[in-house]
Amino acid sequence: MPYSGIEQFNTAQRRAVTHGDGPVLVIAGAGTGKTKTLAGRVAHLIAGGVPPQRICLLTFTRRAAAELLRRAEAGTSATGHVWGGTFHATVNRLLRLHGRTLGLDPDFTVIDQADAADLMNLIRVDLGLSKTVNARRFPGKDTLAAIYSRMVNSRTRIDLVLESHFPWCRDDSDDIRKIFEQYTARKRAQGVLDYDDLLLYWKALCDTTGAGELVADRFDHILVDEYQDTNTVQAEILAGMRRTRNNVMVVGDDAQAIYGFRGATINNILDFPDQFKGTEIIRLEQNYRSTQPILDASNRVMAHAARRHEKQLVTLRRGGERPTIMTCLDESEQSREVCDRVLAHREEGLQLKSQAVLFRAGHNSDQLEVELSRRNIPFVKYGGLKFIEAAHVKDMIAALRMLENPADELSWHRVLQVIEGIGPSTARRIMAAIGVGKAENDDQSFAAASDGRSPLRRLAESPPSVPPAAREQFKSLRSVIADCMGTPAPPPASQVQRIRQFYEKVFTRLYDNTTVRVRDLEQLEQLAGRYASRAELITDLTLDPPSSTQDFAGDPLRDDDYLILSTIHSAKGCEWDAVHILHMADGVIPSDMATGNEAQVDEERRLLYVAMTRARTALHLYFPLRYYYAGRGMTDRHTYAQLTRFIPKPDHDAYDHQTASAAAQTREAETPTTADGTPLAVDAILRELW
DNA sequence: CATTTATAAATTTTT
DNA sequence: TTTATAAATG
């Protein structure tokens, strides 16, 4: 039975949708209907008789997967069981089924990057590497996690990674190696997997005789979205999954590769035809999203890239305004201008929801958020500070994970220290006494604590002594654990509730604005109500966390109109009628931290390209002239910024240049025009005081 | 001796 | 906003 909606696709899209067997590489420029094509492909396969559960659709984010499946469903009747999601979420499911063949306990728990960093830090302290020596500090935990992740994901030797991306850590390579050794050993011993492990285990699974074929044969078709942002391990996984069957479609755009920092490599796209013999290459170059002036400006940004990109997108959308570059005096004027323009667009009939403000780094929108709140303009921020990163949420997840996986050193370490009177060393002592953590590797002291009982039983039956101040709370923690471990175990929501009650007493001492935090945990409790098992709840919270409290169903804001604020990275794959891009200053874009080599600068350039090509009809770039030195206290010391190097003089005719009022006035003030030559900068001086 | 409190310093993007 | 060190406290 042919797929019915085929007439809605152009020729190239149709080739992709109706492609038969064998490998396909789809090069899909920005706004060329990539999502629609992928969804159509899935619908076509199902209509052609492929059982949905034999299709695996790998996407970059969970949001992308949900959107794709929603659209695919619109084309057919039954798509409920397509395996869709991120690489990480997919392998999580696979490992619960097949992990045992790798010697992996299927009850493993997963830690995110922040947890990984915390574990690194734990080891760093153990090894005595956390101290400052000769005014030099050992790399921080986030740096360590970043080095490790890049090393694994690009499968590059540590020396090379340090040399090319973390040159300031070169001298510490021996100690870094020691930390990594311990890190992997402890994870292994404790049944804990980090994000990178998930991918490695998938690859290992593919390489295992028997299990490898079994897993690969689950799927008739594998489709991968955003292939330009996959890393070496992911490419190896794909190869491993397609050793015998070669039905595979990858979709991507080399001009939109923006995840190099995560080990992604453009070689995956370039080498795909070599890796899979007989690959058909399809190019989608017809843009349906943006007006011509917006595309012109975007194409010219890319034209200066060191590595040339073959395609120049063309659009059918004639007419339209040139993008504007709005020069502002400083960041606060930028915030006011953005608000003014957003509201002006709304007057013209564009909903707030169809507009977005994009920026390089999460904190770039801080001032704007204040201004938006002041003017009562509702907004939702993507990719900023996340729900899951809040300390009190981490506390809750640590407690749940400790119950689920009592060997998990990291969680015990966190939970125990919540109690007044228990700090790092008492926590360590307790953990050693019940047989958690480092003791596992240290046969001497472990032998003393090792009597075959689990840490939880030991805690219940022979509790270690604690300082007097901690006794009461320690007792109540033990009773929480007992309640949650009862048989049958209470449902996840009840466990969350029980833990929350314990934390409520503790939070007043630890944090301020306790009420807000407790409310967050109440929402978490509601979320837990949708889960039958604690394991599933924990995994979802780690692999697919609610991006903010607004993500919870039933939030009144959901139905309202609100402006989107997003980092450029998180805006990937999205589109809006009007797009506002903040901080077009050199040093922000490209980021000062990413100008080390040409490859890094090029990635920043692609980042700007991605941001600009999100716009359908209106594109506004904002450029603050002045940047004040960050620091506390009142200081008006500032530097003057340069417009981003990605828009050089010869390209200025692609934009409409405007100057915000205060900036214009300052410009006048800097060229004295009064008769007596007195600078008329009084107003400007006063203004700077605000 | 261990914990808590206070103070000074630091750099981005995310599954 | 987090994080290492020093001083204060139990």
Side-chain angles (χ1 to χ4, degrees):
Chain A
M1 181 173 57
Y3 172 50
S4 59
I6 199 65
E7 64 282 350
Q8 57 183 314
F9 297 97
N10 68 30
T11 314
Q13 290 172 338
R14 191 173 307 187
R15 269 175 63 210
V17 168
T18 61
H19 179 84
D21 288 343
V24 203
L25 167 62
V26 180
I27 304 286
T32 54
K34 173 177 70 100
T35 304
K36 176 181 164 186
T37 305
L38 261 175
R41 170 78 178 159
V42 172
H44 173 81
L45 289 173
I46 294 170
V50 180
Q53 70 276 10
R54 296 195 56 80
I55 299 173
C56 180
L57 176 62
L58 297 167
T59 56
F60 199 72
T61 63
R62 172 67 194 285
R63 275 208 341 250
E67 168 73 3
L68 265 165
L69 291 181
R70 191 184 60 76
R71 287 171 75 157
E73 254 168 51
T76 62
S77 48
T79 58
H81 298 92
V82 172
W83 278 61
T86 60
F87 275 82
H88 297 84
T90 304
V91 69
N92 171 62
R93 290 173 69 189
L94 289 173
L95 285 176
R96 304 282 174 192
L97 297 169
H98 301 283
R100 232 182 253 290
T101 51
L102 294 171
L104 179 71
D105 185 339
D107 290 332
F108 64 87
T109 48
V110 179
I111 60 173
D112 65 17
Q113 174 109 4
D115 297 323
D118 286 341
L119 184 52
M120 296 259 190
N121 200 43
L122 220 59
I123 296 162
R124 191 167 72 131
V125 173
D126 278 352
L127 296 180
L129 292 168
S130 58
K131 287 192 253 295
T132 308
V133 184
N134 299 334
R136 256 194 84 243
R137 282 232 279 248
F138 194 74
K141 58 175 184 171
D142 296 309
T143 312
L144 290 171
I147 295 170
Y148 179 83
S149 192
R150 186 181 269 270
M151 182 182 76
V152 173
N153 284 306
S154 60
R155 305 199 102 216
T156 311
R157 290 188 47 81
I158 183 168
D159 319 87
L160 294 174
V161 172
L162 291 179
E163 192 63 46
S164 57
H165 292 97
F166 304 88
W168 63 93
C169 303
R170 262 179 310 197
D171 297 341
D172 298 308
S173 71
D174 287 341
D175 288 329
I176 293 175
R177 238 184 289 259
K178 272 187 220 157
I179 290 185
F180 289 175
E181 241 167 67
Q182 284 255 343
Y183 173 73
T184 44
R186 292 198 196 179
K187 272 186 312 181
R188 188 77 51 84
Q190 295 167 16
V192 169
L193 267 59
D194 63 22
Y195 283 153
D196 304 326
D197 287 326
L198 286 171
L199 297 183
L200 287 177
Y201 271 86
W202 194 349
K203 173 170 164 40
L205 195 58
C206 291
D207 293 345
T208 309
T209 28
E213 289 80 16
L214 204 64
V215 170
D217 285 346
R218 287 190 94 92
F219 304 115
D220 291 328
H221 289 267
I222 298 180
L223 300 87
V224 188
D225 194 11
E226 308 281 12
Y227 198 61
Q228 78 282 356
D229 286 322
T230 54
N231 59 43
T232 307
V233 180
Q234 288 167 315
E236 290 171 345
I237 289 169
L238 193 62
M241 292 290 288
R242 295 293 80 170
R243 251 193 278 276
T244 51
R245 302 162 185 271
N246 69 346
N247 291 330
V248 54
M249 171 182 281
V250 300
V251 184
D253 177 10
D254 50 345
Q256 294 184 70
I258 55 174
Y259 277 90
F261 70 93
R262 230 171 73 179
T265 168
I266 198 62
N267 292 333
N268 287 353
I269 281 201
L270 300 180
D271 298 345
F272 186 84
D274 296 329
Q275 200 171 27
F276 293 91
K277 298 297 171 205
T279 291
E280 179 175 1
I281 300 175
I282 301 173
R283 287 175 195 279
L284 308 184
E285 291 171 309
Q286 175 67 59
N287 179 294
Y288 294 93
R289 180 186 296 158
S290 310
T291 60
Q292 193 61 53
I294 291 174
L295 273 192
D296 287 343
S298 310
N299 283 336
R300 282 169 76 168
V301 166
M302 286 309 290
H304 302 293
R307 222 178 50 78
R308 298 296 303 228
H309 297 268
E310 293 304 314
K311 59 198 167 306
Q312 285 259 331
L313 292 180
V314 289
T315 180
L316 291 176
R317 295 196 58 193
R318 297 292 149 215
E321 308 272 322
R322 279 183 304 175
T324 55
I325 293 180
M326 168 66 77
T327 303
C328 308
L329 177 62
D330 55 18
E331 195 178 351
S332 53
E333 189 174 63
Q334 170 180 257
S335 302
R336 292 193 295 273
E337 281 295 328
V338 170
C339 290
D340 288 347
R341 291 203 173 221
V342 164
L343 293 177
H345 276 305
R346 189 170 63 174
E347 292 300 310
E348 294 161 11
L350 289 189
Q351 281 194 310
L352 293 179
K353 266 184 184 172
S354 63
Q355 303 188 50
V357 182
L358 307 182
F359 36 86
R360 173 69 177 85
H363 64 258
N364 287 156
S365 66
D366 289 352
Q367 278 206 24
L368 176 65
E369 288 171 49
V370 173
E371 183 70 10
L372 287 168
S373 308
R374 202 178 64 76
R375 298 216 207 174
N376 289 320
I377 303 173
F379 65 90
V380 169
K381 186 173 175 180
Y382 292 152
L385 185 76
K386 285 186 187 131
F387 182 70
I388 200 90
E389 286 164 17
H392 56 288
V393 178
K394 281 192 185 171
D395 289 331
M396 173 58 77
I397 293 172
L400 291 168
R401 207 154 54 200
M402 175 191 78
L403 292 165
E404 185 66 28
N405 178 4
D408 180 348
E409 170 188 20
L410 189 64
S411 301
W412 280 100
H413 196 252
R414 183 175 191 110
V415 171
L416 287 170
Q417 285 187 80
V418 157
I419 294 169
E420 184 164 26
I422 296 183
S425 74
T426 309
R428 282 237 149 72
R429 190 171 52 75
I430 296 173
M431 286 159 65
I434 60 175
V436 174
K438 203 171 57 151
E440 302 274 357
N441 301 323
D442 181 352
D443 32 16
Q444 200 84 67
S445 63
F446 183 60
S450 175
D451 57 7
R453 291 183 299 170
S454 81
L456 290 175
R457 269 193 61 194
R458 257 177 248 156
L459 185 73
E461 292 167 5
S462 39
S465 66
V466 295
R471 274 197 199 122
E472 198 181 328
Q473 283 180 10
F474 186 56
K475 203 178 142 199
S476 101
L477 174 64
R478 287 174 53 218
S479 91
V480 169
I481 293 172
D483 290 352
C484 291
M485 296 306 292
T487 38
S494 313
Q495 297 187 30
V496 172
Q497 184 195 34
R498 189 69 185 80
I499 299 165
R500 172 172 62 77
Q501 288 164 349
F502 167 70
Y503 276 151
E504 270 177 31
K505 290 176 215 133
V506 157
F507 279 0
T508 35
R509 182 181 63 90
L510 282 180
Y511 311 119
D512 34 56
N513 48 33
T514 314
T515 43
V516 180
R517 294 175 191 264
V518 170
R519 238 201 325 275
D520 279 351
L521 295 193
E522 281 165 4
Q523 286 192 292
L524 204 57
E525 196 177 316
Q526 280 205 310
L527 186 79
R530 298 186 220 153
Y531 288 85
S533 84
R534 184 177 55 205
E536 232 180 307
L537 170 67
I538 299 171
T539 307
D540 266 15
L541 282 173
T542 311
L543 251 31
D544 180 24
S547 61
S548 70
T549 38
Q550 267 111 38
D551 250 20
F552 292 104
D555 193 298
L557 212 58
R558 284 250 124 181
D559 309 316
D560 286 343
D561 195 22
Y562 50 81
L563 181 66
I564 309 290
L565 269 54
S566 173
T567 59
I568 300 173
H569 283 93
S570 295
K572 188 164 85 155
C574 299
E575 61 177 49
W576 294 276
D577 287 322
V579 168
H580 310 256
I581 308 177
L582 305 182
H583 292 293
M584 297 299 297
D586 215 84
V588 180
I589 247 194
S591 164
D592 269 336
M593 277 151 275
T595 51
N597 58 53
E598 202 171 39
Q600 289 181 320
V601 175
D602 261 3
E603 178 150 317
E604 298 283 307
R605 184 195 313 279
R606 293 192 295 268
L607 206 48
L608 178 59
Y609 176 77
V610 167
M612 291 172 71
T613 51
R614 299 308 96 195
R616 282 197 279 258
T617 54
L619 176 60
H620 305 294
L621 313 184
Y622 300 82
F623 168 48
L625 280 169
R626 284 181 182 181
Y627 280 86
Y628 298 96
Y629 289 118
R632 357 169 218 297
M634 305 252 246
T635 167
D636 61 350
R637 285 173 51 217
H638 60 265
T639 53
Y640 282 93
Q642 299 282 331
L643 186 65
T644 174
R645 68 187 73 176
F646 301 138
I647 306 180
K649 266 264 155 58
D651 290 351
H652 282 201
D653 59 320
Y655 303 85
D656 180 24
H657 296 265
Q658 298 181 21
T659 308
S661 55
Q665 282 180 29
T666 305
R667 198 162 282 180
E668 278 170 36
E670 280 163 359
T671 51
T673 52
T674 47
D676 61 351
T678 316
L680 49 72
V682 175
D683 283 347
I685 291 169
L686 287 173
R687 198 174 292 113
E688 284 173 39
L689 297 174
W690 300 113

